[in-house]
Amino acid sequence: MTEDLFDKTICLLQESCNGVALTGAGVSTESGIPDFHGKNGLWSRFDPIEYGTLGAFIADPEKVWRMLAGLLDVVDAKPNKGHKALATLEQQGLLTGIITQNIDSLHQKGGSKNVVEFHGSLGTFSCLSCGDSYDLAFVHDNSLPPRCSSCGAILKPDIVFYDERIPDTVLTQTEQMLASADLLLVAGTSCRVQPAAHIPFTVLNRGGKIIEINKEPALKHIAAVILKGNFSTVMEKLAERLA
Ligand SMILES: [Zn+2]
Protein backbone atom coordinates (compact mmCIF):
# COMPACT_ATOMS: atom_id res chain seq x y z
CA MET A 1 0.00 0.00 0.00
CA THR A 2 1.49 3.27 -0.98
CA GLU A 3 0.98 6.57 0.81
CA ASP A 4 -0.65 7.86 -2.38
CA LEU A 5 -3.53 5.45 -1.93
CA PHE A 6 -4.10 6.67 1.62
CA ASP A 7 -3.97 10.28 0.42
CA LYS A 8 -6.54 9.49 -2.26
CA THR A 9 -8.78 7.69 0.25
CA ILE A 10 -8.64 10.61 2.68
CA CYS A 11 -9.40 13.00 -0.15
CA LEU A 12 -12.48 10.98 -1.17
CA LEU A 13 -13.70 10.78 2.44
CA GLN A 14 -13.25 14.50 2.98
CA GLU A 15 -14.85 15.47 -0.32
CA SER A 16 -17.92 13.30 0.22
CA CYS A 17 -21.05 14.62 1.92
CA ASN A 18 -22.61 11.29 2.76
CA GLY A 19 -20.16 8.42 3.10
CA VAL A 20 -21.53 5.01 4.04
CA ALA A 21 -19.64 1.81 4.89
CA LEU A 22 -20.65 -1.69 3.75
CA THR A 23 -19.00 -4.42 5.82
CA GLY A 24 -18.82 -8.20 5.89
CA ALA A 25 -17.13 -11.16 7.56
CA GLY A 26 -13.58 -9.91 6.91
CA VAL A 27 -13.94 -7.07 9.43
CA SER A 28 -14.63 -9.53 12.25
CA THR A 29 -12.08 -12.28 11.58
CA GLU A 30 -9.52 -10.37 13.69
CA SER A 31 -12.03 -10.49 16.55
CA GLY A 32 -11.80 -14.27 16.37
CA ILE A 33 -14.91 -14.89 14.30
CA PRO A 34 -14.05 -17.05 11.29
CA ASP A 35 -15.79 -16.25 8.00
CA PHE A 36 -18.84 -18.56 7.98
CA HIS A 37 -18.14 -19.29 4.32
CA GLY A 38 -14.38 -19.82 4.79
CA LYS A 39 -12.33 -23.01 5.01
CA ASN A 40 -12.94 -23.55 8.74
CA GLY A 41 -16.18 -21.59 8.80
CA LEU A 42 -19.56 -22.58 10.11
CA TRP A 43 -20.86 -23.80 6.75
CA SER A 44 -17.96 -26.20 6.30
CA ARG A 45 -19.25 -28.02 9.39
CA PHE A 46 -23.01 -27.62 8.98
CA ASP A 47 -24.87 -27.96 5.71
CA PRO A 48 -26.55 -24.57 5.10
CA ILE A 49 -29.68 -26.16 3.62
CA GLU A 50 -30.08 -28.51 6.58
CA TYR A 51 -29.20 -25.97 9.28
CA GLY A 52 -29.38 -22.50 7.79
CA THR A 53 -32.93 -22.14 6.56
CA LEU A 54 -36.18 -21.07 8.18
CA GLY A 55 -37.72 -24.24 6.72
CA ALA A 56 -35.17 -26.35 8.61
CA PHE A 57 -35.79 -24.35 11.80
CA ILE A 58 -39.56 -24.81 11.61
CA ALA A 59 -39.18 -28.53 10.85
CA ASP A 60 -36.70 -29.24 13.65
CA PRO A 61 -35.68 -26.25 15.82
CA GLU A 62 -33.71 -28.44 18.26
CA LYS A 63 -31.51 -29.65 15.42
CA VAL A 64 -30.86 -26.11 14.15
CA TRP A 65 -30.02 -25.02 17.70
CA ARG A 66 -27.13 -27.53 17.68
CA MET A 67 -25.58 -25.23 15.04
CA LEU A 68 -26.74 -22.00 16.75
CA ALA A 69 -25.27 -23.06 20.14
CA GLY A 70 -21.77 -22.88 18.65
CA LEU A 71 -22.57 -19.50 17.13
CA LEU A 72 -23.36 -17.91 20.47
CA ASP A 73 -19.61 -17.39 21.06
CA VAL A 74 -19.85 -14.79 18.29
CA VAL A 75 -21.81 -12.45 20.50
CA ASP A 76 -19.15 -12.59 23.22
CA ALA A 77 -16.41 -11.43 20.81
CA LYS A 78 -14.75 -8.04 21.27
CA PRO A 79 -14.52 -5.32 18.61
CA ASN A 80 -11.06 -4.96 17.02
CA LYS A 81 -9.08 -1.83 16.19
CA GLY A 82 -10.73 -1.69 12.78
CA HIS A 83 -14.25 -1.53 14.25
CA LYS A 84 -13.09 1.28 16.55
CA ALA A 85 -11.39 3.21 13.75
CA LEU A 86 -14.55 2.95 11.64
CA ALA A 87 -16.55 4.36 14.57
CA THR A 88 -14.06 7.24 14.74
CA LEU A 89 -14.74 8.08 11.07
CA GLU A 90 -18.43 8.37 11.98
CA GLN A 91 -17.61 10.63 14.95
CA GLN A 92 -15.46 12.79 12.64
CA GLY A 93 -18.39 13.18 10.28
CA LEU A 94 -16.60 11.36 7.46
CA LEU A 95 -19.15 8.52 7.45
CA THR A 96 -22.86 8.81 8.14
CA GLY A 97 -23.55 5.13 8.77
CA ILE A 98 -22.74 1.47 8.28
CA ILE A 99 -24.61 -1.31 6.53
CA THR A 100 -23.23 -4.60 7.84
CA GLN A 101 -23.84 -8.15 6.74
CA ASN A 102 -22.45 -9.36 10.07
CA ILE A 103 -24.69 -10.58 12.88
CA ASP A 104 -22.15 -10.02 15.69
CA SER A 105 -23.08 -6.43 16.75
CA LEU A 106 -19.34 -5.59 16.89
CA HIS A 107 -19.76 -2.26 15.10
CA GLN A 108 -22.08 -1.04 17.87
CA LYS A 109 -19.74 -2.44 20.53
CA GLY A 110 -16.90 -0.59 18.80
CA GLY A 111 -18.77 2.71 19.13
CA SER A 112 -20.65 3.07 15.82
CA LYS A 113 -24.09 4.62 16.23
CA ASN A 114 -25.88 4.41 12.91
CA VAL A 115 -25.75 0.72 11.94
CA VAL A 116 -28.12 -1.23 9.71
CA GLU A 117 -27.82 -4.97 10.38
CA PHE A 118 -28.68 -6.25 6.92
CA HIS A 119 -28.77 -9.93 7.92
CA GLY A 120 -30.18 -9.35 11.41
CA SER A 121 -28.52 -9.88 14.76
CA LEU A 122 -27.66 -12.71 17.11
CA GLY A 123 -28.30 -10.35 20.01
CA THR A 124 -32.09 -10.70 20.09
CA PHE A 125 -34.50 -13.61 19.77
CA SER A 126 -38.15 -14.00 18.83
CA CYS A 127 -40.91 -16.52 19.42
CA LEU A 128 -42.42 -17.46 16.06
CA SER A 129 -45.60 -18.68 17.79
CA CYS A 130 -46.64 -15.70 19.93
CA GLY A 131 -44.27 -12.94 18.77
CA ASP A 132 -42.58 -12.29 22.14
CA SER A 133 -39.03 -10.91 22.03
CA TYR A 134 -36.06 -11.81 24.24
CA ASP A 135 -32.54 -10.49 24.70
CA LEU A 136 -29.25 -12.33 24.84
CA ALA A 137 -29.13 -12.31 28.66
CA PHE A 138 -32.32 -14.42 28.71
CA VAL A 139 -30.74 -16.97 26.36
CA HIS A 140 -27.50 -17.05 28.39
CA ASP A 141 -29.50 -17.58 31.60
CA ASN A 142 -31.51 -20.51 30.25
CA SER A 143 -30.64 -23.96 28.96
CA LEU A 144 -30.48 -24.47 25.20
CA PRO A 145 -32.54 -24.47 23.15
CA PRO A 146 -34.17 -21.43 24.76
CA ARG A 147 -37.93 -21.52 25.08
CA CYS A 148 -40.53 -18.75 25.14
CA SER A 149 -41.68 -17.98 28.72
CA SER A 150 -45.21 -17.29 27.47
CA CYS A 151 -45.93 -20.26 25.21
CA GLY A 152 -42.99 -22.67 25.46
CA ALA A 153 -42.03 -22.58 21.75
CA ILE A 154 -38.30 -22.70 20.87
CA LEU A 155 -36.96 -19.18 20.17
CA LYS A 156 -35.40 -18.13 16.87
CA PRO A 157 -32.50 -15.65 16.76
CA ASP A 158 -33.34 -12.49 14.80
CA ILE A 159 -30.97 -13.41 11.98
CA VAL A 160 -31.99 -13.76 8.35
CA PHE A 161 -31.84 -17.39 7.28
CA TYR A 162 -30.96 -18.34 3.69
CA ASP A 163 -34.55 -18.83 2.59
CA GLU A 164 -35.81 -15.67 4.26
CA ARG A 165 -36.31 -12.26 2.67
CA ILE A 166 -34.51 -9.28 4.14
CA PRO A 167 -37.18 -7.67 6.38
CA ASP A 168 -38.95 -4.66 4.82
CA THR A 169 -37.91 -2.42 7.73
CA VAL A 170 -34.24 -3.24 7.04
CA LEU A 171 -34.64 -2.63 3.28
CA THR A 172 -36.23 0.73 4.05
CA GLN A 173 -33.41 1.70 6.46
CA THR A 174 -30.86 0.64 3.83
CA GLU A 175 -32.55 2.65 1.10
CA GLN A 176 -32.72 5.70 3.37
CA MET A 177 -29.02 5.40 4.18
CA LEU A 178 -28.10 5.00 0.50
CA ALA A 179 -30.48 7.65 -0.83
CA SER A 180 -27.94 10.44 -0.60
CA ALA A 181 -24.75 8.35 -0.34
CA ASP A 182 -22.00 9.73 -2.55
CA LEU A 183 -19.30 7.39 -1.22
CA LEU A 184 -19.28 3.72 -0.22
CA LEU A 185 -16.43 2.26 1.82
CA VAL A 186 -16.60 -1.51 1.20
CA ALA A 187 -14.66 -3.56 3.76
CA GLY A 188 -14.24 -7.25 4.48
CA THR A 189 -16.78 -8.43 1.97
CA SER A 190 -16.41 -9.92 -1.48
CA CYS A 191 -19.94 -8.67 -2.27
CA ARG A 192 -21.07 -12.05 -3.54
CA VAL A 193 -24.22 -12.56 -1.45
CA GLN A 194 -27.38 -10.98 -2.87
CA PRO A 195 -29.14 -8.68 -2.31
CA ALA A 196 -26.30 -6.91 -0.41
CA ALA A 197 -24.04 -7.48 -3.43
CA HIS A 198 -26.10 -4.93 -5.32
CA ILE A 199 -25.31 -2.07 -2.92
CA PRO A 200 -22.00 -0.92 -4.52
CA PHE A 201 -23.73 -0.70 -7.89
CA THR A 202 -26.62 1.30 -6.41
CA VAL A 203 -24.14 3.89 -5.12
CA LEU A 204 -22.09 3.80 -8.33
CA ASN A 205 -25.14 4.24 -10.57
CA ARG A 206 -26.10 7.34 -8.59
CA GLY A 207 -22.70 8.87 -9.22
CA GLY A 208 -21.02 7.82 -5.96
CA LYS A 209 -17.46 6.59 -5.52
CA ILE A 210 -16.27 3.27 -4.09
CA ILE A 211 -13.36 2.69 -1.69
CA GLU A 212 -12.48 -0.96 -1.15
CA ILE A 213 -10.55 -2.42 1.81
CA ASN A 214 -10.05 -6.14 1.33
CA LYS A 215 -7.29 -8.74 1.58
CA GLU A 216 -8.47 -10.01 -1.78
CA PRO A 217 -10.05 -7.11 -3.65
CA ALA A 218 -13.30 -7.97 -5.40
CA LEU A 219 -14.35 -4.63 -6.89
CA LYS A 220 -11.32 -3.87 -9.07
CA HIS A 221 -13.44 -2.69 -11.98
CA ILE A 222 -15.55 -0.22 -10.05
CA ALA A 223 -13.50 0.96 -7.04
CA ALA A 224 -11.93 4.44 -7.20
CA VAL A 225 -9.29 3.29 -4.74
CA ILE A 226 -8.36 -0.10 -3.30
CA LEU A 227 -6.50 -0.52 0.00
CA LYS A 228 -5.36 -4.12 -0.03
CA GLY A 229 -4.80 -5.66 3.39
CA ASN A 230 -6.21 -6.62 6.77
CA PHE A 231 -9.17 -4.51 7.81
CA SER A 232 -7.81 -3.44 11.22
CA THR A 233 -4.29 -2.72 9.90
CA VAL A 234 -5.60 -0.54 7.08
CA MET A 235 -8.19 1.20 9.22
CA GLU A 236 -5.74 1.94 11.99
CA LYS A 237 -3.36 3.56 9.53
CA LEU A 238 -6.19 5.54 7.98
CA ALA A 239 -7.38 6.72 11.42
CA GLU A 240 -3.82 7.77 12.36
CA ARG A 241 -3.59 9.85 9.20
CA LEU A 242 -6.94 11.50 9.96
CA ALA A 243 -6.23 12.22 13.63
ZN1 LIG B 1 -44.16 -17.61 22.56
Side-chain angles (χ1 to χ4, degrees):
M1 286 179 295
T2 67
E3 295 305 309
D4 282 359
L5 292 176
F6 278 94
D7 287 342
K8 195 171 174 190
T9 302
I10 289 166
C11 233
L12 288 172
L13 282 165
Q14 289 174 336
E15 279 170 4
S16 72
C17 296
N18 263 301
V20 171
L22 172 67
T23 67
V27 309
S28 291
T29 47
E30 285 159 275
S31 291
I33 302 171
D35 184 344
F36 296 162
H37 296 277
K39 214 165 52 179
N40 301 311
L42 184 75
W43 302 126
S44 68
R45 287 175 284 129
F46 292 96
D47 182 278
I49 309 282
E50 265 189 72
Y51 289 88
T53 63
L54 182 63
F57 184 86
I58 289 167
D60 192 346
E62 284 179 317
K63 176 179 166 178
V64 171
W65 261 101
R66 289 204 290 277
M67 176 274 289
L68 293 171
L71 258 191
L72 284 182
D73 291 346
V74 162
V75 287
D76 294 325
K78 302 269 186 296
N80 61 50
K81 288 172 180 171
H83 290 110
K84 291 174 187 168
L86 204 58
T88 305
L89 291 191
E90 187 183 351
Q91 285 152 18
Q92 291 170 325
L94 296 171
L95 288 179
T96 53
I98 299 172
I99 299 162
T100 186
Q101 298 165 84
N102 298 339
I103 56 174
D104 52 34
S105 305
L106 288 181
H107 286 302
Q108 293 95 321
K109 283 187 192 169
S112 292
K113 301 285 180 230
N114 194 15
V115 182
V116 174
E117 295 178 301
F118 203 71
H119 292 154
S121 162
L122 254 185
T124 57
F125 300 79
S126 298
C127 173
L128 298 183
S129 296
C130 75
D132 277 6
S133 290
Y134 295 86
D135 61 14
L136 187 64
F138 176 86
V139 171
H140 272 320
D141 289 346
N142 286 276
S143 55
L144 298 181
R147 288 180 180 273
C148 175
S149 303
S150 307
C151 75
I154 293 177
L155 301 178
K156 175 190 174 288
D158 295 334
I159 56 176
V160 178
F161 279 121
Y162 278 114
D163 54 346
E164 286 187 280
R165 288 186 56 233
I166 306 295
D168 286 341
T169 50
V170 172
L171 290 176
T172 305
Q173 287 171 344
T174 303
E175 185 46 44
Q176 282 169 350
M177 199 178 269
L178 293 177
S180 55
D182 55 2
L183 180 78
L184 187 73
L185 190 158
V186 178
T189 173
S190 53
C191 294
R192 277 198 297 257
V193 179
Q194 289 291 0
H198 194 66
I199 291 173
F201 295 95
T202 303
V203 174
L204 199 69
N205 289 341
R206 291 173 182 170
K209 303 252 172 55
I210 312 283
I211 296 169
E212 180 181 14
I213 301 173
N214 265 329
K215 273 205 282 198
E216 290 166 37
L219 302 174
K220 281 179 192 156
H221 300 296
I222 61 169
V225 56
I226 294 173
L227 298 170
K228 192 176 174 200
N230 281 336
F231 173 65
S232 66
T233 313
V234 172
M235 282 306 301
E236 221 184 350
K237 195 165 176 196
L238 196 57
E240 269 170 29
R241 294 281 297 270
L242 283 162

Coordinates of all heavy atoms in Angstrom, one line a residue, residues 35-84:
D35 N -14.8 -16.4 9.1 CA -15.8 -16.3 8.0 C -16.6 -17.5 7.9 O -16.1 -18.6 7.7 CB -15.0 -16.0 6.7 CG -15.9 -15.7 5.5 OD1 -17.2 -16.0 5.6 OD2 -15.4 -15.2 4.5
F36 N -18.0 -17.4 8.0 CA -18.8 -18.6 8.0 C -18.7 -19.4 6.7 O -18.8 -20.6 6.7 CB -20.3 -18.1 8.1 CG -20.7 -17.5 9.4 CD1 -21.8 -16.7 9.5 CD2 -19.9 -17.6 10.5 CE1 -22.2 -16.1 10.7 CE2 -20.2 -17.0 11.7 CZ -21.4 -16.3 11.8
H37 N -18.3 -18.6 5.6 CA -18.1 -19.3 4.3 C -16.7 -19.8 4.1 O -16.4 -20.3 3.0 CB -18.6 -18.4 3.2 CG -20.0 -18.0 3.3 ND1 -21.0 -18.8 2.8 CD2 -20.7 -16.9 3.8 CE1 -22.2 -18.3 3.0 NE2 -22.0 -17.1 3.7
G38 N -15.8 -19.5 5.0 CA -14.4 -19.8 4.8 C -14.1 -21.3 5.0 O -15.0 -22.1 5.3
K39 N -12.8 -21.6 4.9 CA -12.3 -23.0 5.0 C -12.7 -23.7 6.3 O -13.2 -24.8 6.3 CB -10.8 -23.0 4.9 CG -10.3 -24.3 4.1 CD -8.9 -24.1 3.6 CE -7.9 -23.7 4.7 NZ -6.5 -23.6 4.3
N40 N -12.6 -23.0 7.4 CA -12.9 -23.5 8.7 C -14.2 -22.9 9.3 O -14.5 -23.0 10.5 CB -11.8 -23.3 9.8 CG -10.5 -24.0 9.3 OD1 -10.5 -25.2 8.9 ND2 -9.4 -23.2 9.3
G41 N -15.0 -22.3 8.4 CA -16.2 -21.6 8.8 C -17.3 -22.5 9.1 O -17.3 -23.7 8.9
L42 N -18.4 -21.9 9.7 CA -19.6 -22.6 10.1 C -20.1 -23.5 9.0 O -20.5 -24.7 9.3 CB -20.6 -21.5 10.5 CG -21.9 -22.0 11.1 CD1 -21.7 -22.4 12.5 CD2 -23.0 -20.9 11.0
W43 N -20.2 -23.0 7.8 CA -20.9 -23.8 6.7 C -20.0 -24.9 6.2 O -20.4 -25.6 5.3 CB -21.4 -22.9 5.7 CG -22.4 -21.8 6.2 CD1 -22.3 -20.5 6.0 CD2 -23.5 -22.1 7.0 NE1 -23.3 -19.9 6.7 CE2 -24.1 -20.8 7.3 CE3 -24.1 -23.2 7.5 CZ2 -25.2 -20.6 8.1 CZ3 -25.3 -23.0 8.3 CH2 -25.8 -21.8 8.6
S44 N -18.7 -25.0 6.7 CA -18.0 -26.2 6.3 C -18.3 -27.3 7.3 O -18.0 -28.5 7.0 CB -16.5 -25.9 6.3 OG -16.0 -25.7 7.7
R45 N -18.9 -27.0 8.4 CA -19.3 -28.0 9.4 C -20.7 -28.4 9.4 O -21.2 -29.5 9.7 CB -18.9 -27.6 10.8 CG -17.3 -27.6 11.0 CD -17.0 -27.0 12.4 NE -17.0 -25.6 12.3 CZ -17.6 -24.8 13.3 NH1 -18.3 -25.4 14.2 NH2 -17.6 -23.5 13.2
F46 N -21.6 -27.4 9.0 CA -23.0 -27.6 9.0 C -23.5 -27.3 7.6 O -23.2 -26.2 7.0 CB -23.7 -26.7 10.0 CG -23.4 -27.0 11.4 CD1 -22.4 -26.3 12.1 CD2 -24.1 -28.0 12.1 CE1 -22.2 -26.6 13.4 CE2 -23.9 -28.3 13.4 CZ -22.9 -27.6 14.1
D47 N -24.3 -28.2 7.0 CA -24.9 -28.0 5.7 C -25.9 -26.8 5.8 O -26.8 -26.9 6.6 CB -25.6 -29.2 5.2 CG -26.1 -29.0 3.8 OD1 -27.2 -28.5 3.7 OD2 -25.4 -29.4 2.9
P48 N -25.7 -25.7 5.0 CA -26.5 -24.6 5.1 C -28.0 -24.9 4.8 O -28.9 -24.3 5.4 CB -26.0 -23.6 4.1 CG -24.8 -24.2 3.5 CD -24.6 -25.5 4.0
I49 N -28.3 -25.8 3.9 CA -29.7 -26.2 3.6 C -30.3 -26.9 4.8 O -31.5 -26.6 5.2 CB -29.8 -27.1 2.4 CG1 -29.0 -26.5 1.2 CG2 -31.2 -27.4 2.0 CD1 -29.6 -25.4 0.4
E50 N -29.5 -27.7 5.5 CA -30.1 -28.5 6.6 C -30.2 -27.7 7.9 O -31.0 -28.0 8.7 CB -29.2 -29.7 6.8 CG -29.6 -31.0 6.2 CD -28.8 -32.1 6.7 OE1 -28.9 -32.5 7.8 OE2 -27.9 -32.6 5.9
Y51 N -29.3 -26.7 8.0 CA -29.2 -26.0 9.3 C -29.4 -24.5 9.1 O -29.6 -23.8 10.1 CB -27.8 -26.2 9.9 CG -27.6 -27.6 10.5 CD1 -27.1 -28.6 9.6 CD2 -27.9 -27.9 11.8 CE1 -26.9 -29.8 10.1 CE2 -27.7 -29.1 12.3 CZ -27.2 -30.1 11.5 OH -27.0 -31.4 12.0
G52 N -29.4 -24.0 7.9 CA -29.4 -22.5 7.8 C -30.6 -21.9 7.2 O -30.6 -20.8 6.6
T53 N -31.7 -22.7 7.2 CA -32.9 -22.1 6.6 C -34.1 -22.1 7.6 O -34.1 -22.8 8.6 CB -33.4 -23.0 5.4 OG1 -33.7 -24.3 5.9 CG2 -32.3 -23.1 4.3
L54 N -35.0 -21.2 7.3 CA -36.2 -21.1 8.2 C -37.0 -22.4 8.1 O -37.5 -22.8 9.1 CB -37.1 -19.9 7.7 CG -38.3 -19.6 8.6 CD1 -37.9 -19.3 10.0 CD2 -39.1 -18.5 8.0
G55 N -37.0 -23.0 6.9 CA -37.7 -24.2 6.7 C -37.2 -25.3 7.6 O -37.9 -26.1 8.3
A56 N -35.8 -25.4 7.7 CA -35.2 -26.3 8.6 C -35.5 -26.0 10.1 O -35.7 -27.0 10.9 CB -33.7 -26.3 8.4
F57 N -35.5 -24.7 10.4 CA -35.8 -24.4 11.8 C -37.2 -24.7 12.2 O -37.4 -25.3 13.3 CB -35.6 -22.8 12.0 CG -35.8 -22.4 13.4 CD1 -34.7 -22.4 14.3 CD2 -37.0 -21.9 13.9 CE1 -34.9 -22.0 15.6 CE2 -37.2 -21.6 15.2 CZ -36.1 -21.6 16.1
I58 N -38.2 -24.5 11.3 CA -39.6 -24.8 11.6 C -39.7 -26.3 11.7 O -40.4 -26.8 12.6 CB -40.5 -24.2 10.5 CG1 -40.5 -22.7 10.7 CG2 -41.9 -24.8 10.6 CD1 -41.2 -21.9 9.6
A59 N -39.1 -27.1 10.8 CA -39.2 -28.5 10.8 C -38.6 -29.1 12.1 O -39.1 -30.1 12.7 CB -38.5 -29.1 9.6
D60 N -37.4 -28.6 12.5 CA -36.7 -29.2 13.7 C -35.8 -28.2 14.4 O -34.6 -28.2 14.2 CB -35.8 -30.4 13.1 CG -35.3 -31.3 14.3 OD1 -35.4 -30.8 15.4 OD2 -34.8 -32.4 14.0
P61 N -36.5 -27.3 15.2 CA -35.7 -26.2 15.8 C -34.6 -26.8 16.7 O -33.5 -26.1 16.8 CB -36.7 -25.5 16.6 CG -37.9 -26.4 16.7 CD -37.9 -27.3 15.6
E62 N -34.8 -27.9 17.4 CA -33.7 -28.4 18.3 C -32.5 -28.8 17.5 O -31.3 -28.5 17.9 CB -34.2 -29.7 19.0 CG -35.2 -29.3 20.1 CD -35.7 -30.4 20.9 OE1 -36.1 -31.4 20.3 OE2 -35.8 -30.3 22.1
K63 N -32.6 -29.3 16.3 CA -31.5 -29.7 15.4 C -30.8 -28.4 15.0 O -29.5 -28.3 15.1 CB -32.0 -30.4 14.2 CG -30.9 -30.7 13.2 CD -31.5 -31.5 12.0 CE -30.5 -31.5 10.8 NZ -31.0 -32.2 9.7
V64 N -31.5 -27.4 14.6 CA -30.9 -26.1 14.1 C -30.2 -25.4 15.3 O -29.1 -24.8 15.1 CB -31.9 -25.2 13.5 CG1 -31.3 -23.8 13.2 CG2 -32.4 -25.8 12.1
W65 N -30.7 -25.6 16.5 CA -30.0 -25.0 17.7 C -28.7 -25.7 18.0 O -27.8 -25.1 18.7 CB -30.9 -25.0 18.9 CG -31.6 -23.7 19.1 CD1 -32.8 -23.3 18.7 CD2 -30.9 -22.5 19.6 NE1 -33.0 -21.9 19.0 CE2 -31.9 -21.4 19.6 CE3 -29.7 -22.2 20.1 CZ2 -31.6 -20.1 20.0 CZ3 -29.4 -20.9 20.6 CH2 -30.3 -19.9 20.5
R66 N -28.5 -26.9 17.5 CA -27.1 -27.5 17.7 C -26.1 -26.7 16.9 O -24.9 -26.6 17.3 CB -27.1 -29.0 17.2 CG -27.9 -29.9 18.1 CD -27.5 -31.4 18.0 NE -27.8 -32.0 16.7 CZ -29.0 -32.5 16.5 NH1 -30.0 -32.5 17.4 NH2 -29.3 -33.1 15.3
M67 N -26.5 -26.1 15.8 CA -25.6 -25.2 15.0 C -25.5 -23.9 15.7 O -24.4 -23.3 16.0 CB -26.1 -25.1 13.6 CG -25.4 -24.1 12.7 SD -25.9 -22.4 12.8 CE -27.6 -22.5 12.0
L68 N -26.7 -23.3 16.1 CA -26.7 -22.0 16.7 C -26.0 -21.9 18.1 O -25.4 -20.9 18.4 CB -28.2 -21.6 17.0 CG -29.0 -21.4 15.7 CD1 -30.5 -21.2 16.1 CD2 -28.5 -20.1 15.0
A69 N -26.0 -23.0 18.8 CA -25.3 -23.1 20.1 C -23.8 -22.7 20.0 O -23.3 -21.9 20.8 CB -25.4 -24.4 20.8
G70 N -23.2 -23.2 18.9 CA -21.8 -22.9 18.6 C -21.6 -21.4 18.2 O -20.5 -20.8 18.4
L71 N -22.6 -20.9 17.6 CA -22.6 -19.5 17.1 C -22.7 -18.5 18.2 O -22.3 -17.3 18.1 CB -23.8 -19.2 16.2 CG -23.6 -19.3 14.7 CD1 -24.8 -18.7 14.0 CD2 -22.4 -18.4 14.3
L72 N -23.2 -18.9 19.4 CA -23.4 -17.9 20.5 C -22.1 -17.3 21.0 O -22.1 -16.2 21.5 CB -24.1 -18.5 21.7 CG -25.6 -18.8 21.4 CD1 -26.3 -19.3 22.7 CD2 -26.3 -17.5 21.1
D73 N -20.9 -18.0 20.7 CA -19.6 -17.4 21.1 C -19.4 -16.1 20.3 O -18.7 -15.2 20.8 CB -18.5 -18.3 20.6 CG -18.4 -19.6 21.4 OD1 -19.1 -19.6 22.5 OD2 -17.7 -20.5 21.0
V74 N -20.0 -16.0 19.1 CA -19.8 -14.8 18.3 C -20.2 -13.5 19.0 O -19.6 -12.5 18.9 CB -20.7 -15.0 17.0 CG1 -21.0 -13.6 16.3 CG2 -20.1 -16.0 16.1
V75 N -21.3 -13.7 19.8 CA -21.8 -12.4 20.5 C -21.0 -12.1 21.7 O -21.2 -11.0 22.3 CB -23.3 -12.6 20.9 CG1 -24.2 -12.5 19.6 CG2 -23.6 -13.9 21.6
D76 N -20.1 -12.9 22.1 CA -19.2 -12.6 23.2 C -17.8 -12.0 22.7 O -17.0 -11.6 23.5 CB -18.9 -13.8 24.1 CG -20.1 -14.3 24.8 OD1 -20.9 -13.4 25.2 OD2 -20.3 -15.5 24.9
A77 N -17.7 -11.9 21.4 CA -16.4 -11.4 20.8 C -16.3 -9.9 21.1 O -17.2 -9.2 21.4 CB -16.4 -11.7 19.3
K78 N -15.0 -9.5 21.0 CA -14.7 -8.0 21.3 C -14.4 -7.3 19.9 O -13.8 -7.9 19.0 CB -13.5 -7.9 22.2 CG -13.6 -8.6 23.5 CD -14.2 -7.7 24.6 CE -14.2 -8.3 25.9 NZ -15.1 -9.5 26.1
P79 N -14.8 -6.1 19.8 CA -14.5 -5.3 18.6 C -13.0 -5.2 18.5 O -12.3 -5.1 19.5 CB -15.2 -4.0 18.8 CG -15.4 -3.8 20.3 CD -15.6 -5.2 20.8
N80 N -12.5 -5.1 17.2 CA -11.1 -5.0 17.0 C -10.8 -3.5 16.7 O -11.7 -2.7 16.6 CB -10.5 -5.9 16.0 CG -11.2 -5.8 14.6 OD1 -11.3 -4.6 14.1 ND2 -11.7 -6.8 14.0
K81 N -9.5 -3.2 16.4 CA -9.1 -1.8 16.2 C -9.8 -1.3 14.9 O -10.0 -0.1 14.8 CB -7.6 -1.8 16.1 CG -6.9 -2.0 17.4 CD -5.4 -2.1 17.2 CE -4.7 -2.3 18.6 NZ -3.3 -2.6 18.5
G82 N -10.1 -2.1 14.0 CA -10.7 -1.7 12.8 C -12.1 -1.2 13.1 O -12.6 -0.2 12.5
H83 N -12.9 -2.0 13.9 CA -14.2 -1.5 14.2 C -14.2 -0.2 14.9 O -15.0 0.7 14.6 CB -14.9 -2.5 15.3 CG -15.2 -3.9 14.7 ND1 -14.5 -5.0 15.1 CD2 -16.2 -4.3 13.8 CE1 -15.1 -6.0 14.4 NE2 -16.1 -5.6 13.7
K84 N -13.2 0.0 15.8 CA -13.1 1.3 16.6 C -12.7 2.4 15.6 O -13.2 3.5 15.8 CB -12.1 1.1 17.7 CG -12.6 0.2 18.8 CD -11.6 -0.1 19.9 CE -12.1 -1.1 20.8 NZ -11.1 -1.7 21.7

